[in-house]
Amino acid sequence: MLWGMKVYFKMTAYLKISNELIQFLLNSNRVPYFREYTDVSVGKSFGNIMIEDLGDSLPFIFWAGKKLDNRYCNIADKTAKFLINNFQHEGGFFRTSKKMKFLKTYNFDKMTDLSLGINLMYALTKDDFYLKASEKFFSALGDFASKRDGFIPLIHFKNLNLGLNFSTGKFGLYVEELCNLYNFTNDIRYLQSANNIIKPWIKSDFYKDNGLFPFLFQPKILKSLANIPFKRKFGFSIDSAMSSKANTNLVYGLNAIYKVTKDSDLYSILERWYSAVNDKLLDKDGSLYSVWDDGGYSKFLGCDHAVIDTFLEFYFNTKEKRFLNDAEKMANFWIKQQDNSGLIQQGVDEFNVCADPNMKYGDKPKYFRLDPQVDFSVVMMKLYQLTENEIYMKKAKKLIDGICKYHIFKSAFVDILDENKNKKSYIIETKFLFLILKALMFEEYNNNGRIYKDNTIRLLLRDR
């Protein structure tokens, strides 16, 4: 305890908050089990074990622990290994919840962030345990996808050999992580698998017609049936494009392959997507429509920061200034929404915030949500490191200061604030408490442009 206090008083303000937050997370969960939700008012977690959120949790404790306390690194390492040992099947895939065990299904949606987490832990530790777990998983995924022309269903019923084929481009995360695994190993099989998974998307009629990537449901008869409840719930059809993860994660994957191969055909696909975003989603003021199917439905900070980040990746890989200019245009729109508190409201007046009308606060633009603001602060730091424009660093720090003043509660944070900065709920998804470390470790990647010089830092600061 005395040693801990000596270290504590040498910390910066952000690192003090980080240290207290990690202690809160360890006290409110029973390690090695971290739970899906946390009631920050009483310091208790509950819900499912966070196996599928491994990528949104343990790597950040490990990363922060390298600066704060090596014991945090040891806890993250031991917990990650415990979860992988206990939830990875012999064949390579994972059991992601208790229900999965009895239904004998594989939920490929839930395994996306899990696979990212394994690769992040390897990047941080260089421990072959994580490399072998990743190879085991992605070898199984590559074999699975190769038998289905690259297509990965949302859920696969193992005993029936049947897939529930509702899928989105979020599975582009697998493509990106296959490229990372290729970079770790130089094993060409992983790059081949990445290219295979991309095929159904770039061959889709929707992409050919519109340049954007759709929600996808196969076969066509089931797609028509599924579209009825889908449209009733969301207000738009499956044959639509959402600016954020359904598109951006796939584009991150395409960009990762291009970075390795410099394939001209792949560049043309990325160029077409970029042009389609400009034509169909980007408004004149720099804001983006969150959904496109012949009209704009919503505008949301949580979608826009992801598109900004894709444009920054394009610029980083190509050095073409137009990508950076458009990223700045989008970022500058949201910077104008920043109020004196430093916080940025989640939506735009006269537009819904979220495409899902059932989402709490989804139709109220003047509220404040923790995670999108954290991610936007990181995007502004990326802009600063690429442009050296001081305004981005100042605005990022102002936003982080606002988060630390208004969202903080005791040693943790609340998710939602109303327009008057009043705390609306003390229940938060636990992963968001881990992910705020991306902002609180501000000084650790602000030195010497480390985001684009240190590949591990860059991998950590993605939002997928």
Side-chain angles (χ1 to χ4, degrees):
M1 180 63 71
L2 288 175
W3 176 83
M5 291 298 290
K6 288 180 182 177
V7 173
Y8 183 89
F9 287 114
K10 292 180 180 179
M11 294 179 188
T12 64
Y14 294 150
L15 289 180
K16 287 180 184 178
I17 295 171
S18 299
N19 193 59
E20 291 172 357
L21 175 61
I22 292 173
Q23 290 181 14
F24 172 87
L25 284 164
L26 298 178
N27 290 333
S28 60
N29 290 269
R30 293 185 178 181
V31 179
Y33 295 113
F34 289 89
R35 299 289 177 176
E36 187 177 6
Y37 296 98
T38 298
D39 184 339
V40 298
S41 67
V42 295
K44 296 291 183 183
S45 64
F46 59 95
N48 292 328
I49 297 168
M50 289 176 59
I51 178 66
E52 61 261 31
D53 290 321
L54 191 153
D56 293 328
S57 54
L58 299 174
F60 296 96
I61 286 189
F62 189 97
W63 177 40
K66 291 173 73 174
K67 182 70 176 182
L68 295 169
D69 189 331
N70 196 55
R71 289 175 298 177
Y72 300 155
C73 298
N74 293 335
I75 290 169
D77 183 40
K78 289 179 180 178
T79 301
K81 288 175 177 174
F82 173 86
L83 293 173
I84 292 168
N85 280 328
N86 283 275
F87 286 83
Q88 188 169 30
H89 294 294
E90 189 62 34
F93 294 141
F94 284 83
R95 173 170 61 92
T96 52
S97 73
K98 289 183 179 179
K99 288 184 179 180
M100 298 281 285
K101 185 176 182 180
F102 299 110
L103 291 174
K104 295 184 179 179
T105 60
Y106 295 128
N107 189 317
F108 288 104
D109 180 51
K110 289 188 175 181
M111 285 190 275
T112 52
D113 289 332
L114 171 55
S115 66
L116 174 147
I118 297 170
N119 278 352
L120 281 179
M121 288 303 294
Y122 177 70
L124 286 161
T125 66
K126 301 303 182 210
D127 188 328
D128 280 349
F129 172 88
Y130 297 109
L131 186 62
K132 290 176 182 176
S134 181
E135 290 183 301
K136 189 176 178 180
F137 173 80
F138 280 110
S139 293
L141 186 73
D143 291 343
F144 181 91
S146 69
K147 297 173 183 176
R148 294 161 178 81
D149 296 322
F151 185 79
I152 300 173
L154 180 71
I155 295 175
H156 179 72
F157 296 89
K158 182 181 177 183
N159 291 351
L160 300 175
N161 194 26
L162 176 67
L164 179 61
N165 290 338
F166 175 70
S167 176
T168 75
K170 182 182 175 183
F171 290 148
L173 178 55
Y174 285 140
V175 177
E176 190 176 13
E177 292 311 312
L178 279 161
C179 289
N180 284 328
L181 187 55
Y182 168 75
N183 291 331
F184 294 154
T185 64
N186 290 318
D187 189 331
I188 195 66
R189 291 179 302 157
Y190 302 123
L191 192 58
Q192 291 169 340
S193 293
N195 276 299
N196 189 41
I197 293 170
I198 286 298
K199 287 179 184 176
W201 300 95
I202 60 179
K203 291 181 177 180
S204 71
D205 291 337
F206 189 93
Y207 170 75
K208 290 177 181 177
D209 292 340
N210 302 297
L212 300 170
F213 298 105
F215 294 94
L216 187 66
F217 194 103
Q218 295 179 334
K220 289 184 178 179
I221 295 174
L222 292 178
K223 179 179 176 181
S224 298
L225 292 173
N227 196 41
I228 297 170
F230 187 93
K231 193 165 187 177
R232 185 177 299 166
K233 177 177 174 61
F234 295 108
F236 55 92
S237 72
I238 287 174
D239 281 324
S240 305
M242 179 172 281
S243 65
S244 189
K245 293 188 178 182
N247 262 257
T248 53
N249 275 16
L250 189 63
V251 173
Y252 288 131
L254 288 163
N255 194 54
I257 300 176
Y258 175 72
K259 186 178 179 183
V260 172
T261 65
K262 301 302 181 185
D263 183 280
S264 59
D265 290 337
L266 204 52
Y267 178 87
S268 298
I269 293 167
L270 292 168
E271 168 70 30
R272 180 138 192 262
W273 182 83
Y274 162 78
S275 298
V277 170
N278 272 273
D279 292 342
K280 296 178 172 68
L281 293 173
L282 185 60
D283 209 348
K284 291 181 292 186
D285 60 7
S287 62
L288 286 159
Y289 297 111
S290 300
V291 175
W292 181 84
D293 74 350
D294 296 328
Y297 293 91
S298 55
K299 295 185 178 184
F300 178 34
L301 174 65
C303 287
D304 286 19
H305 73 74
V307 180
I308 295 169
D309 208 11
T310 60
F311 284 18
L312 294 181
E313 287 292 303
F314 291 173
Y315 171 70
F316 182 70
N317 285 340
T318 67
K319 300 300 182 283
E320 292 185 38
K321 203 68 180 284
R322 60 196 172 118
F323 299 133
L324 182 60
N325 291 340
D326 280 343
E328 288 193 85
K329 179 181 179 181
M330 290 183 277
N332 290 339
F333 170 84
W334 286 104
I335 286 173
K336 291 175 184 176
Q337 316 307 312
Q338 189 174 35
D339 66 23
N340 290 334
S341 72
L343 300 179
I344 299 174
Q345 70 179 44
Q346 296 305 281
V348 178
D349 293 343
E350 299 179 6
F351 287 88
N352 287 345
V353 173
C354 183
D356 182 357
N358 298 310
M359 180 179 174
K360 197 173 186 181
Y361 306 105
D363 59 350
K364 299 176 182 179
K366 292 183 179 178
Y367 75 99
F368 305 88
R369 188 176 168 203
L370 178 66
D371 191 56
Q373 294 185 97
V374 169
D375 287 320
F376 189 65
S377 73
V378 173
V379 162
M380 285 195 286
M381 282 309 306
K382 289 181 177 180
L383 275 166
Y384 167 66
Q385 294 192 6
L386 289 171
T387 66
E388 297 185 352
N389 186 337
E390 293 283 343
I391 191 66
Y392 295 121
M393 183 173 69
K394 291 177 180 177
K395 293 293 185 178
K397 191 173 186 307
K398 184 177 181 181
L399 178 51
I400 297 168
D401 287 341
I403 290 169
C404 290
K405 180 175 180 181
Y406 293 98
H407 280 272
I408 203 162
F409 180 79
K410 296 181 179 178
S411 297
F413 293 80
V414 299
D415 189 17
I416 302 291
L417 306 177
D418 67 16
E419 61 182 306
N420 297 314
K421 316 296 189 303
N422 297 314
K423 297 174 176 63
K424 295 301 295 181
S425 174
Y426 293 90
I427 306 296
I428 187 171
E429 286 187 61
T430 308
K431 67 180 181 180
F432 295 138
L433 297 177
F434 289 92
L435 290 171
I436 196 176
L437 290 167
K438 288 192 289 188
L440 297 177
M441 296 296 289
F442 176 83
E443 283 108 343
E444 286 306 294
Y445 56 79
N446 188 33
N447 294 326
N448 302 316
R450 286 188 66 196
I451 296 175
Y452 292 100
K453 293 179 180 179
D454 185 328
N455 192 55
T456 300
I457 296 290
R458 188 157 159 255
L459 291 176
L460 281 162
L461 294 182
R462 297 173 295 165
D463 174 44
R464 302 293 186 266

